[in-house]
Amino acid sequence: MSGGRQRTLGSGGQHLLDHLKRMNAENPAFFYAVQGDNDHTGGNIFWADATSRMNYSYFGDAVIFDTTYKMNGYRVPFSSFTGYNHHGQPVLFGCALIIDESESSYIWLFQTWLHAMSGRCPVSITSDPNPLLQVAVTQVLPETRHRLCLSAIFRETREKLAHLYQSHPTFETEFKKCITETETIDEFDSCWQSLLERYYIMDSEWLQSMYNARQQWLPVCMRDTFFGEISRGDGSEPLNLFFDGYVNVSTTIQMLMKQYEKAIASWHDMELKADYETTNTSPVLKTPSPMEKQAANLYTRRIFMKFQEELVETLANPATKIDDSGTVATYRVAKFGEDHKAHAVTFNSFGMKANCSCQTFEYSGIICRHILAVFRAKNVLTLPSQYILKRWTRNAKSGAVSDEHASELPNSSQESLTVRYNNLRQEAIKYVEEGAKSIHIYNVALDALKEAAKKVAAVKNQGPAPTQVGTLLNGGGHELHANQGSQTATYQSTDEKEKKVRELTADLENINRRCEVYRANLLAVLRDMEEQKLKLSVKVQNARLSLKE
């Protein structure tokens, strides 16, 4: 194994461990673990509270692992796992103190974190460049896309090529532009080669090593993977957003937990404010499009603003059909006056599926202006369900855990206890918030809670529940229904299945035809509205001119 730097926490390590033990005693869903070292002053420590674990079930698709302490020389080797919630705000998934910086330590840390998160791997993870960490991610999260933080790449380049930055002030701007503004790999390669030749740095070993590893940091190479970023979208932001301003170079181990709790409280307040704004205010719609109204009702306020920006841009991005092969058509979409920056969009009318060369939806989960321009050309008036990510909606936290990951929850008794605790706690918080809004609702809620308490007590007195009806699949793929030990097999003949498929296909075709009629009618209504609006505007203008005369 590769070695690394060894630290020690001294007496503060025991102080921290005692705090974590108290947290676990108060809430069994609070998770912590210590690696090695019996006196806990030289062993790595990881912890995640109940809220962090629950948030991961909603927003754990894109993760950021922050080791800012390494580059800034923090007194405490504090690291964090974070992501983005449905408002695009930082959200916490766990914290760690990396006392022993070694390959085995990082492997232990990622294994422990993954266990605390119910064993569900993220789609992507972003971290600073670190060979030891890269080995751990590859071993523990082999299916997860690992991206190296671009701001760290820029920082290291500035250090490695300090003489060039000083002698050629324009290099940094051109270098960043080459990396962040190129939209295809070919465009980047051309720009990169031109940059090397212009500044006579073709023999730079550092730049060559960077280029060889470009698949792990170059933005244009990352567009096919979800990273949950809705702002700049080039991965160049610093990683330490959640604890920025709370944990820094002067933070001691004794101060750490207090600052940790302050950061959590602050971000929780910001999320509540964003929830309130989303729920209690209506955004200003900028078009008569039913799709915009649909999005305003579905998305959180910040995500809707990003969607609205893309929708409005379709006015300046016309879609031109360049190929049509039956159900699949290809469009060229470019902003007026910028034909050299055109994007290609393929559209499948049967499944209402579209793919754009910019890959914005794949990267951020928010549909791009290019696909929206094609939808507009094809009279698709509402967003198809596959383009609405639940994690960006107002109802991102509806249900105890994300539906698509419910089956992945662990089966051990302790982990099941954690899941049940979190589920009940989440529902109880919603109930309390609603119940406190008025005295009438409070009285109703209190009576309901008392009645629920009686039912829970009655079930406890009855003992274990009887076996419930379940559904199993045998080796032949036939469905079997089990009820208290008795089993009855249900078989379907091949003819019956084919008949059912034909019936469903016919129904689907009828529905598609009706939808086309509805879209055409609605489009006609919208056109009439625009004409009436124009006529009214002309009348108002004429009336004003008459008054002036």
Side-chain angles (χ1 to χ4, degrees), residues 297-504:
N297 293 328
L298 284 172
Y299 289 130
T300 60
R301 173 55 63 85
R302 187 179 179 193
I303 302 305
F304 170 72
M305 299 300 288
K306 296 298 296 183
F307 170 83
Q308 186 181 57
E309 178 184 335
E310 296 298 314
L311 184 66
V312 170
E313 279 294 324
T314 62
L315 298 173
N317 285 265
T320 305
K321 186 186 293 186
I322 58 176
D323 184 57
D324 194 343
S325 57
T327 57
V328 178
T330 302
Y331 290 80
R332 185 177 182 276
V333 183
K335 189 170 185 177
F336 182 75
E338 297 183 4
D339 290 346
H340 61 290
K341 293 185 178 181
H343 286 277
V345 177
T346 59
F347 176 74
N348 187 325
S349 59
F350 183 75
M352 292 296 167
K353 294 179 180 179
N355 293 291
C356 181
S357 58
C358 77
Q359 296 183 304
T360 296
F361 180 75
E362 288 82 355
Y363 182 84
S364 69
I366 300 173
I367 199 165
C368 66
R369 61 195 65 181
H370 314 112
I371 292 179
L372 289 174
V374 172
F375 282 174
R376 181 173 180 173
K378 294 293 293 182
N379 297 333
V380 179
L381 299 180
T382 58
L383 269 177
S385 60
Q386 64 264 32
Y387 296 104
I388 303 169
L389 265 61
K390 185 180 179 184
R391 60 119 54 238
W392 290 137
T393 67
R394 299 165 177 240
N395 298 321
K397 290 187 174 184
S398 64
V401 292
S402 300
D403 297 338
E404 60 268 33
H405 302 296
S407 61
E408 299 174 19
L409 293 173
N411 295 319
S412 69
S413 58
Q414 180 59 41
E415 290 294 335
S416 297
L417 170 64
T418 298
V419 172
R420 292 195 298 272
Y421 178 93
N422 283 339
N423 291 352
L424 289 171
R425 178 177 176 274
Q426 192 76 19
E427 292 303 314
I429 289 174
K430 296 177 185 176
Y431 198 72
V432 169
E433 289 174 348
E434 288 297 319
K437 288 183 177 178
S438 72
I439 188 63
H440 173 68
I441 298 176
Y442 167 80
N443 290 329
V444 172
L446 192 60
D447 290 341
L449 283 174
K450 290 178 180 178
E451 185 63 30
K454 292 178 183 178
K455 291 181 179 180
V456 171
V459 172
K460 284 176 64 178
N461 294 332
Q462 291 174 2
T467 304
Q468 299 296 315
V469 174
T471 303
L472 309 171
L473 288 177
N474 66 10
H478 300 297
E479 201 174 69
L480 301 177
H481 298 277
N483 184 8
Q484 296 183 356
S486 65
Q487 297 182 344
T488 58
T490 302
Y491 299 91
Q492 285 185 323
S493 69
T494 304
D495 291 341
E496 290 174 335
K497 289 180 180 179
E498 291 180 352
K499 181 181 178 182
K500 190 66 176 177
V501 168
R502 287 196 296 271
E503 291 174 352
L504 291 174

Side-chain angles (χ1 to χ4, degrees), residues 81-286:
F81 293 89
T82 63
Y84 297 99
N85 67 8
H86 51 321
H87 300 291
Q89 300 168 331
V91 63
L92 187 63
F93 301 141
C95 299
L97 294 185
I98 306 176
I99 316 303
D100 173 27
E101 296 173 12
S102 65
E103 185 178 300
S104 59
S105 291
Y106 282 116
I107 290 173
W108 172 85
L109 175 59
F110 276 90
Q111 288 175 336
T112 304
W113 170 75
L114 190 62
H115 174 71
M117 300 300 127
S118 302
R120 182 165 66 88
C121 298
V123 172
S124 65
I125 186 166
T126 303
S127 74
D128 284 323
N130 181 333
L132 303 178
L133 197 156
Q134 286 177 252
V135 170
V137 172
T138 300
Q139 182 170 322
V140 182
L141 305 170
E143 302 300 320
T144 298
R145 184 74 179 275
H146 186 193
R147 178 181 67 171
L148 304 182
C149 176
L150 198 54
S151 64
I153 296 291
F154 287 148
R155 184 182 62 251
E156 288 192 10
T157 302
R158 193 180 304 112
E159 294 170 358
K160 299 287 184 180
L161 304 179
H163 64 287
L164 181 63
Y165 276 67
Q166 291 174 359
S167 60
H168 294 83
T170 58
F171 174 76
E172 183 173 14
T173 300
E174 290 188 49
F175 180 69
K176 289 185 175 180
K177 184 177 180 180
C178 174
I179 290 171
T180 61
E181 295 186 17
T182 49
E183 297 186 1
T184 67
I185 293 176
D186 289 342
E187 185 183 349
F188 165 76
D189 285 341
S190 175
C191 180
W192 179 272
Q193 189 61 35
S194 174
L195 197 66
L196 296 185
E197 293 174 356
R198 195 158 60 254
Y199 288 94
Y200 303 101
I201 47 178
M202 290 82 75
D203 297 329
S204 170
E205 293 183 4
W206 166 251
L207 290 177
Q208 186 59 49
S209 67
M210 273 187 59
Y211 181 82
N212 292 340
R214 64 192 180 283
Q215 292 293 332
Q216 285 194 283
W217 58 263
L218 183 62
V220 73
C221 293
M222 298 288 166
R223 304 301 297 182
D224 61 345
T225 303
F226 182 79
F227 285 96
E229 294 171 356
I230 60 171
S231 52
R232 293 170 62 183
D234 58 18
S236 62
E237 299 87 347
L239 299 183
N240 59 336
L241 294 176
F242 194 91
F243 290 100
D244 188 28
Y246 296 95
V247 178
N248 53 44
V249 66
S250 62
T251 304
T252 64
I253 192 68
Q254 288 79 10
M255 298 165 56
L256 180 61
M257 290 310 292
K258 182 175 290 186
Q259 295 303 105
Y260 161 86
E261 290 169 356
K262 282 183 179 179
I264 288 177
S266 176
W267 283 112
H268 177 67
D269 288 346
M270 290 185 188
E271 182 175 322
L272 289 178
K273 289 177 182 177
D275 283 340
Y276 181 86
E277 182 183 27
T278 294
T279 304
N280 295 282
T281 61
S282 298
V284 177
L285 303 184
K286 296 182 178 180

Side-chain angles (χ1 to χ4, degrees), residues 9 11-34 40 45-50 78 92 95 97 243 252-264:
L9 293 178
S11 59
Q14 190 60 50
H15 172 80
L16 173 65
L17 189 61
D18 290 341
H19 182 89
L20 298 179
K21 286 180 178 178
R22 285 195 301 272
M23 297 292 287
N24 176 256
E26 294 172 6
N27 183 347
F30 186 98
F31 180 99
Y32 77 95
V34 182
H40 309 302
I45 302 173
F46 169 79
W47 71 93
D49 60 27
F78 180 71
L92 187 63
C95 299
L97 294 185
F243 290 100
T252 64
I253 192 68
Q254 288 79 10
M255 298 165 56
L256 180 61
M257 290 310 292
K258 182 175 290 186
Q259 295 303 105
Y260 161 86
E261 290 169 356
K262 282 183 179 179
I264 288 177

